[in-house]
Amino acid sequence: MRVSSTMMRSAVLVTCLVAGCQDGVTAPEHAEMNVAADVVAHRLNRAEYDNTVRDLLGTALRPAVDFPADERGHGFDNMVELLSMSPERAALYERAASELARDVVSDPKRRSTVLPCDSDDEESCARQGLEHFLPRAWRRPVTQQEVDSMVDLYGHLRTGGDDSDEAMQGVVGAALLSPHFLFRIEHAPAEDTDQPQPLSDWELASRLSYFLWSSMPDDELFALADGGTLDDPDVLREQVDRMLEDEKAQALVDDFAGQWWHIRGLQDVFKDVTKYPRFDDDLRDSMRIEMESFFSDLIAQDADLRDLLLGSRTTVDRPMLELYGVASSHFGGTRELDLSSLPRTGMLTMPGLMTVLSRPFRTAPVKRGQFVMSQLLCAPLPPPPDGVEGLTDIEPGETFREMLERHRQDPSCAGCHATLDPLGLAFEHYNGIGAWRATDDGVEIDASGTLPDGRSFSDAVELGNLLSEDPRFVECVVRQTMTYALGRGLQDEDEAHVRSAIDQLVAAGYRTRALFSVVATSVPFRHHQPLEAP
Amino acid sequence: MTGWTGWTGWTRRRFLGGSAVAIGLPLLDSLRSPARADVRSTSMAFVAFYVPNGMHMPAWTPMTDGPGWELTPLLASLSDVRDQVDVITGLRNAPADLETAGHHAAGTAGFLTARRARRTETDVEVGASLDQLHAQATRHDTFVDALALGIDAGDRFGECDNGFSCAYSRNISWSDPHTPRSKLVDPRVAFDMLFGGFDPAATAAERDERRSRRRSILDTVADQAASLRGDLGSGDRHQLDGYLDAVRELERRVEADPPSCGDALRPEAPMDFVDHVELMTEIMVLALRCDATRAITFMLGNSASNRDYGFLGVTGGHHDLSHHAGNPDAIAALQTIGAWEVERFASLVRRLSEIEEGDGTVLDRTLLLFSSELSDGNGHSHDDLPVLLAGGAATGREIGRHVRTAGAPISELFVSTLQWLGHDVTEFGADGRQPLPRL
């Protein structure tokens, strides 16, 4: 695993992080801590844990695979309220911390980077190493007492019989088991005001890095926080651009797009082998990679994000090309495919998405309709009435469309299904593994439909066009991004800021990078969550 | 001196070298009173065995009441342990019954809590579960306070059930109304939780050193959390409280003697679903045999699981099939799956009945509950739930009957269960105000 180059930075920053510096601003966290009224302790989820230790220690270990799964809310697994602790989790953190500590202390090269010292005296050396390590591990300046306390632990372990390596492992392990490492701590000062309270620069640096990288801040972000200059819209925009160009932004693809567009669902989806003999683990991977590359390219090229619905260029390997029904001679690797001559549009009709939104041996129009409503329009329909769920059987000779029409005869179903069904049926040309078909069981497929507002479409490609013009789409994109960035659902107090972010995004030409900038510079992102009314 | 090796660098699979060690658990001797008349002790263990999507009740409910209940198609595999199992029918979980959709999530959240879950994506709330109450009472006597196990970690995308957070669908164990006890799905990790860190080659001095080392580290981080928490005003301390509770439980485990009994092989990674279920069953047997814990929950699948049971010759996902709409093929498929699930439970019960302990068996001091979040999956019914209660002969209770209730709350069964487990309670959940009368 390549060690991040940012780990090799200067020691100047380090000294500052210990005692606080710059204009007498000493360890700002503690100045506020005594009067804090509200604290959010946002536990790292599995992906964040592994990425953080990768960046902090340069380790190849991925301990989080053993941790219990993170709970999910609003479609994402980084929601503050759902990230809880349990004895099992703590036991596994303890184990991971000790393995990680041994891994780094026993590697001289990495040790000298992570715990540098230039003293021959053992205690000074330990102290120096910790003065460098702790602020980075805990993502904020540390006080003299905090360092002293860890040096005391070191001494205590030495007295107890540990040699110097073992004692250092113990202290590093403690630092990684600490709540200061496992949680992102945000303190809101107790001011008697309705005004939103700004995050400190340190807190903002962490929010930003976990948003775009699912990992800890790098030295540049730390330096800006230390200089007190991060919480400035221009600086934030610059940082967003820089961070989106870093390979660590792959996390946005894996974690944000992976959940928002259900790409992660490909890992577990099951298909009936007789019905879809072509579907194997290789094709599954190809599907995932196509969607991930598409999203990644949107960012890299700073494309118009409506390309999610309208884009005509994708990167595919040979199995995917075949699935798209395009003949080609054998080739290895990937090549670009122009979708404009195919009945396809953007990510909306990609085989990966269609595969996830299907059942083991057939399509799932209702799921596909629900995807559009909830993931693309942020307008999920209310739950079905009681006593209802699952589909009526398709009668012999009946198409899916006809079955759904019959189902809609029931007035208690029609309300929602009048909206839902046409959306889902628009995708009927894409079978259970997303391959295009003209007929289903010998019957010509009719993918046309009408939206509640009266606009009609003849197929999914046209639907994509209509959706791209629907203001709810861009609004939904902003909402999803903001929910993910904040780790919580949006509330009434956020509405004005959501609107502002949307306006800015539109003014910026719907550029993908602007999406992340408008969220990162928004009021909710830069402030503590509004306190509950007493 | 040798350093603390922790859990890795630990490549030996055989966790306990040397000859088999007889099981000698002093606490249990006090339980072995010949009369078995009035035994009330927290030495009893509890296991909850959850299967998703309900059961086809017409093939479940025995025709006759009382002892010697006849084996229906779904219960056939219990034949050799029939006298150790009660079939209790007619129970309902009213708090889990909703007016609108979300029955799987609500049924699962209410499975061991008998409470109504809050319909929300993130600020989850239901109730403390029965197993966790028992865990809290027995934690000082066992190495691990509780063990929450499962097979499915959970799918990685999308919403779970109509506005109910996925937390409700993936957990039956709740340590408090807001905190699910996240389950372990890897049998190797579960094994390590019980036995990891135990090095039979270590001398007593070495073990003391390791213990002291872990203690120092845990004390340090507990102090950090306490002081962090102490800085808070009226803010929400929920997350940090959870952290502190967890660390304190670890500290307790550091001081406790790790379980020791017989030879225990660390499992390999599961090869497939069937192997996975068998490995988890073995972990449960091991944990009970060694008295490593007295509160276990096991989810054979997550709520509304759409698992494919092709290996049983069944076509279609389990959840899809449970919406049978009267289709006889779907119903037959559901029965095949249901019978297999009961057979897995029977296998666990049988294994425990074969492990001798004093005058009896491990089964005698273990109460096992088998059920599902629904009865009829097609109509999402929370009435007439499929319930089995096995074991616990050491309490002196009558076992091996079909008890037919007329819509009694399942929370009353939970009150009875807690009483047999040694708790002095008369209430549980939202509607349990007495023990179940017919039991």
Side-chain angles (χ1 to χ4, degrees), chain B residues 12-156:
Chain B
R12 275 185 277 171
R13 280 175 58 232
R14 188 163 292 265
F15 131 81
L16 253 199
S19 52
V21 176
I23 302 165
L25 298 162
L27 284 165
L28 295 177
D29 290 339
S30 67
L31 196 56
R32 289 278 85 80
S33 80
R36 291 183 178 181
D38 198 22
V39 179
R40 289 284 184 263
S41 167
T42 56
S43 301
M44 295 294 297
F46 174 73
V47 177
F49 193 109
Y50 164 97
V51 298
N53 296 315
M55 206 58 77
H56 187 61
M57 296 309 283
W60 171 280
T61 309
M63 299 282 277
T64 55
D65 297 9
W69 47 271
E70 112 268 7
L71 297 166
T72 55
L74 286 172
L75 300 177
S77 58
L78 292 165
S79 63
D80 62 332
V81 290
R82 195 183 351 186
D83 60 343
Q84 292 288 322
V85 180
D86 289 328
V87 183
I88 310 170
T89 55
L91 292 171
R92 68 183 297 245
N93 198 343
D97 201 349
L98 305 172
E99 263 96 73
T100 59
H103 291 275
H104 288 278
T108 305
F111 184 74
L112 288 176
T113 63
R115 293 259 177 210
R116 169 74 49 91
R118 181 192 290 160
R119 188 191 298 264
T120 179
E121 287 285 343
T122 52
D123 55 335
V124 292
E125 181 176 9
V126 58
S129 59
L130 146 66
D131 64 295
Q132 289 294 301
L133 282 176
H134 191 54
Q136 281 153 31
T138 56
R139 73 200 300 169
H140 295 288
D141 299 329
T142 55
F143 183 61
V144 154
D145 64 320
L147 200 56
L149 303 173
I151 301 292
D152 295 332
D155 55 21
R156 289 157 230 258

Side-chain angles (χ1 to χ4, degrees), chain A residues 265-400:
Chain A
L266 279 168
Q267 199 149 357
D268 300 323
V269 76
F270 174 82
K271 295 290 160 187
D272 184 78
V273 291
T274 19
K275 189 76 201 259
Y276 303 113
R278 217 173 351 176
F279 186 78
D280 59 14
D281 283 345
D282 286 339
L283 189 62
R284 187 198 294 269
D285 271 344
S286 299
M287 289 179 174
R288 174 182 58 80
I289 291 169
E290 185 197 12
M291 291 181 80
E292 288 179 353
S293 307
F294 187 88
F295 197 88
S296 178
D297 285 346
L298 279 182
I299 299 176
Q301 291 153 20
D302 198 17
D304 185 321
L305 52 80
R306 292 170 298 182
D307 277 358
L308 285 166
L309 301 176
L310 303 174
S312 61
R313 277 196 333 252
T314 182
T315 311
V316 292
D317 59 17
R318 188 137 188 277
M320 285 305 291
L321 200 60
E322 278 178 12
L323 191 63
Y324 272 114
V326 176
S328 83
S329 56
H330 186 81
F331 68 92
T334 58
R335 48 167 270 208
E336 230 184 56
L337 171 64
D338 182 0
L339 294 175
S340 52
S341 58
L342 296 171
R344 299 274 180 174
T345 188
M347 208 140 88
L348 186 65
T349 58
M350 278 192 184
L353 183 63
M354 298 293 100
T355 297
V356 164
L357 299 173
S358 294
R359 301 202 179 280
F361 43 88
R362 64 168 170 78
T363 61
V366 173
K367 273 195 189 181
R368 292 172 179 188
Q370 280 174 328
F371 176 85
V372 171
M373 291 302 290
S374 84
Q375 299 304 100
L376 303 184
L377 297 175
C378 292
L381 291 164
D386 208 20
V388 159
E389 205 186 279
L391 288 180
T392 341
D393 257 349
I394 302 185
E395 300 192 346
E398 201 184 35
T399 63
F400 215 106

Side-chain angles (χ1 to χ4, degrees), chain B residues 246-290:
Chain B
V247 169
R248 283 179 189 141
E249 170 61 20
L250 286 191
E251 286 177 321
R252 190 194 62 74
R253 292 183 194 182
V254 168
E255 304 310 324
D257 287 317
S260 64
C261 62
D263 278 339
L265 286 182
R266 188 174 191 263
E268 306 278 3
M271 294 182 299
D272 55 30
F273 171 62
V274 175
D275 188 39
H276 199 168
V277 175
E278 278 177 13
L279 288 173
M280 282 310 198
T281 305
E282 276 315 301
I283 294 283
M284 289 192 271
V285 169
L286 194 59
L288 291 164
R289 175 158 75 89
C290 305

Side-chain angles (χ1 to χ4, degrees), chain B residues 40 91 405 408-420 423-428 431-439:
Chain B
R40 289 284 184 263
L91 292 171
T405 75
I410 194 169
S411 51
E412 288 181 358
L413 172 63
F414 295 162
V415 172
S416 302
T417 303
L418 280 165
Q419 289 180 352
W420 282 319
H423 297 252
D424 188 16
V425 297
T426 51
E427 301 196 338
F428 183 80
D431 56 357
R433 299 288 163 263
Q434 56 175 1
L436 191 60
R438 298 278 308 280
L439 280 184

Side-chain angles (χ1 to χ4, degrees), chain A residues 46-272:
Chain A
R46 298 201 299 179
E48 290 166 348
Y49 184 99
D50 274 351
N51 293 341
T52 304
V53 301
R54 171 200 68 200
D55 293 339
L56 179 66
L57 306 170
T59 183
L61 295 176
R62 293 283 173 269
V65 66
D66 285 343
F67 301 167
D70 300 310
E71 302 302 350
R72 203 171 56 244
H74 298 296
F76 297 115
D77 62 5
N78 65 347
M79 296 289 116
V80 180
E81 280 184 282
L82 291 175
L83 292 166
S84 58
M85 281 292 287
S86 69
E88 287 67 50
R89 214 178 274 279
L92 292 167
Y93 282 146
E94 191 196 7
R95 174 164 85 171
S98 99
E99 282 176 18
L100 289 164
R102 182 160 3 104
D103 177 64
V104 74
V105 168
S106 62
D107 174 348
K109 194 161 169 233
R110 278 191 291 127
R111 180 180 181 163
S112 64
T113 310
V114 174
L115 300 155
C117 89
D118 59 15
S119 169
D120 287 330
D121 172 66
E122 189 188 330
E123 193 189 311
S124 304
C125 189
R127 179 174 291 276
Q128 278 180 23
L130 289 169
E131 284 174 350
H132 177 96
F133 176 68
L134 288 176
R136 298 189 74 250
W138 296 351
R139 304 178 289 269
R140 57 166 176 80
V142 297
T143 62
Q144 210 52 56
Q145 296 125 284
E146 287 178 313
V147 176
D148 287 345
S149 152
M150 294 299 256
V151 172
D152 282 349
L153 174 62
Y154 178 91
H156 181 81
L157 294 172
R158 285 290 269 128
T159 322
D162 278 11
D163 66 32
S164 64
D165 278 359
E166 288 156 348
M168 190 48 96
Q169 278 172 36
V171 178
V172 170
L176 296 174
L177 186 56
S178 170
H180 300 299
F181 173 74
L182 294 171
F183 294 87
R184 292 188 262 146
I185 310 280
E186 293 172 356
H187 290 83
E191 307 218 353
D192 197 11
T193 167
D194 286 338
Q195 291 307 304
Q197 299 302 308
L199 296 176
S200 75
D201 270 21
W202 299 100
E203 293 167 340
L204 187 56
S206 277
R207 248 198 211 182
L208 191 58
S209 67
Y210 282 98
F211 171 32
L212 300 178
W213 289 342
S214 299
S215 187
M216 62 181 275
D218 62 358
D219 283 356
E220 185 166 334
L221 282 173
F222 278 145
L224 289 167
D226 184 60
T229 55
L230 182 62
D231 192 10
D232 171 299
D234 291 328
V235 174
L236 284 170
R237 273 187 278 268
E238 253 175 46
Q239 288 304 303
V240 167
D241 276 339
R242 175 182 76 88
M243 293 169 78
L244 289 177
E245 276 168 17
D246 191 305
E247 66 178 15
K248 289 190 273 192
Q250 178 65 24
L252 272 177
V253 178
D254 295 340
D255 303 328
F256 175 54
Q259 293 179 88
W260 175 32
W261 279 81
H262 296 351
I263 307 174
R264 283 187 182 183
L266 279 168
Q267 199 149 357
D268 300 323
V269 76
F270 174 82
K271 295 290 160 187
D272 184 78

